[in-house]
Amino acid sequence: MLYFLFILLVLLTNIIQGITGFAGTVLAMPFAILMFGIDTAKPVLTVLTTLACLMVVCRSWRSIAWKEFGRMFVLMFIGVFAGEYLYRQASPDLLLPVYAVFIIAIALRGMFQKEERDLPPACLMLIVLGAGVIHGMFISGGPLLIIYAVKKIPEKEQFRSTLSLIWIALNIYLLAKQASAGLFSAPTLHLAVIGVPALILGVAAGSILAKKMSQEVFLRLTYILLLISGATLLL
């Protein structure tokens, strides 16, 4: 039953990932932590989200906004180092409630903020850096990064492909660190393999839906799901 729920989780969250280019891991992570623990959830979802993003990039690499990719990657890579350090220093009992509150805050902001505010360039840079910190801790920097990305990459296909390439680049580094730390045990790899068919189906379905339905509708759905997942982890 646990494996069935995990497969269903991977399928549904990667439909959203295929549509938006960012939300799959942050939706899946709270439930995966509850199912298997954080030290298993992180490497498994790192593998799966990297594969999901690779599928998106292979289909739409011509749409990548390379200039914005370079800016976001440099700042987020710096933030990832800080996030890894914080993760090693703090206990999960402290980190998980903070993470849950972060998810809920991002969800409420997306649901109730009627229009994007103009932020100073320095503030936007700090937001991207903060996205890197969260990604280094929980592989879930997407909700913060979109605050920057929606302003700089308004075209939907560019948005999806550029963000997907960001996650691939950062996750390759994280995968290497996780492997060197011995997190890829046989059960962990088995769980990742189990999720691959559901991931492929989910991303393919999400890519089709992304062409037929508006980004606004699915972003609203994503924020609702974020609220549910954050509240579940907090409770």
Side-chain angles (χ1 to χ4, degrees):
M1 177 59 72
L2 195 61
Y3 282 166
F4 172 77
L5 291 175
F6 174 70
I7 290 170
L8 184 62
L9 176 70
V10 172
L11 174 64
L12 295 177
T13 55
N14 278 285
I15 290 174
I16 302 297
Q17 179 75 29
I19 293 164
T20 63
F22 80 91
T25 305
V26 73
L27 287 170
M29 183 64 78
F31 296 109
I33 289 173
L34 294 175
M35 290 177 185
F36 304 107
I38 191 168
D39 287 334
T40 297
K42 282 186 67 176
V44 168
L45 292 182
T46 305
V47 170
L48 293 178
T49 192
T50 303
L51 292 175
C53 292
L54 189 59
M55 288 180 64
V56 173
V57 169
C58 285
R59 291 188 175 197
S60 55
W61 61 271
R62 291 183 180 86
S63 300
I64 294 169
W66 290 103
K67 186 176 180 180
E68 291 300 337
F69 166 80
R71 289 176 179 171
M72 291 186 289
F73 175 74
V74 170
L75 287 170
M76 286 197 69
F77 195 68
I78 295 169
V80 163
F81 281 104
E84 289 182 304
Y85 176 79
L86 291 173
Y87 181 80
R88 290 193 299 268
Q89 299 303 313
S91 70
D93 290 339
L94 173 63
L95 289 177
L96 292 181
V98 172
Y99 178 50
V101 170
F102 162 76
I103 293 173
I104 292 169
I106 290 293
L108 292 175
R109 175 190 177 277
M111 291 169 65
F112 295 109
Q113 184 168 307
K114 298 300 182 183
E115 58 184 29
E116 293 288 336
R117 298 177 181 177
D118 290 329
L119 297 173
C123 185
L124 287 174
M125 295 300 102
L126 286 175
I127 287 172
V128 177
L129 191 65
V133 173
I134 296 297
H135 201 73
M137 295 172 72
F138 298 108
I139 329 167
S140 304
L144 267 183
L145 187 61
I146 61 167
I147 297 173
Y148 175 91
V150 295
K151 291 182 176 297
K152 300 295 184 178
I153 315 174
E155 200 278 318
K156 183 171 64 174
E157 196 63 23
Q158 280 193 330
F159 182 95
R160 291 172 66 247
S161 58
T162 305
L163 262 62
S164 293
L165 187 60
I166 285 285
W167 308 135
I168 292 171
L170 293 175
N171 287 352
I172 288 173
Y173 165 75
L174 292 175
L175 285 169
K177 292 294 293 286
Q178 291 166 357
S180 66
L183 294 181
F184 285 102
S185 62
T188 300
L189 290 172
H190 177 65
L191 193 61
V193 170
I194 288 174
V196 169
L199 177 144
I200 293 172
L201 182 60
V203 172
S207 296
I208 293 171
L209 290 171
K211 295 177 181 179
K212 295 186 176 182
M213 298 186 182
S214 71
Q215 180 93 343
E216 182 181 355
V217 170
F218 282 104
L219 283 177
R220 187 168 297 277
L221 174 61
T222 297
Y223 289 129
I224 293 171
L225 294 173
L226 282 176
L227 183 61
I228 294 170
S229 64
T232 301
L233 185 59
L234 188 62
L235 295 174

